[in-house]
């Protein structure tokens, strides 16, 4: 059995209003079940490799895979509300600071 991936959250991360779906998606991601979380790699991103997971019909979870203490971890960046990718600070170029 594989060890679950560690979940890290970026400073200021909030899943307010989508706590249940976030918990379910985070658990699937931690177990490596990216299919259940409906993960897609975002294309045309200028900084790093970013992924999105489906929280519900309208909201998405933006995350990245990072190295932390010699292991791969999930870094939860932000919840994108109502498919509004244009408001994402990370998709507009904010740098993901190293852990």
């Amino acid at each position: 059995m594989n060890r679950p991936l560690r979940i890290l959250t970026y400073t200021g991360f909030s899943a307010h209003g989508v706590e249940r779906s976030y918990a379910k998606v985070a658990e699937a991601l931690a177990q490596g079940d990216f299919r259940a979380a409906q993960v897609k790699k975002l294309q045309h991103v200028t900084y790093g490799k970013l992924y999105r997971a489906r929280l519900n019909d309208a909201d998405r979870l933006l995350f990245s895979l990072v190295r932390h203490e010699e292991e791969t971890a999930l870094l939860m960046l932000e919840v994108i509300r109502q498919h509004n990718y244009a408001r994402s600070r990370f998709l507009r170029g904010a740098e993901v600071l190293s852990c």
Side-chain angles (χ1 to χ4, degrees):
M1 186 170 129
N2 292 336
R3 259 180 43 208
L5 294 170
R6 182 182 299 202
I7 294 178
L8 307 172
T9 55
Y10 200 80
T11 302
F13 175 84
S14 173
H16 181 73
V18 292
E19 292 91 344
R20 272 191 173 159
S21 55
Y22 170 75
K24 183 177 176 181
V25 166
E27 178 61 27
L29 292 172
Q31 297 303 320
D33 191 353
F34 284 38
R35 181 172 288 192
Q38 298 180 31
V39 171
K40 289 189 180 179
K41 181 179 178 184
L42 296 177
Q43 303 297 318
H44 310 294
V45 176
T46 57
Y47 180 81
K49 294 179 182 174
L50 299 177
Y51 303 85
R52 71 96 175 137
R54 184 178 189 268
L55 292 172
N56 55 43
D57 288 341
D59 303 319
R60 302 296 181 258
L61 171 65
L62 186 68
F63 71 97
S64 183
L65 295 170
V66 297
R67 295 293 295 168
H68 178 71
E69 297 179 0
E70 303 303 316
E71 66 181 337
T72 300
L74 297 156
L75 178 58
M76 306 309 190
L77 298 170
E78 67 184 332
V79 172
I80 297 174
R81 309 282 178 173
Q82 301 296 317
H83 300 286
N84 196 346
Y85 290 91
R87 291 197 61 197
S88 167
R89 65 182 172 159
F90 298 102
L91 295 177
R92 288 183 307 181
E95 186 175 346
V96 178
L97 302 175
S98 58
C99 302

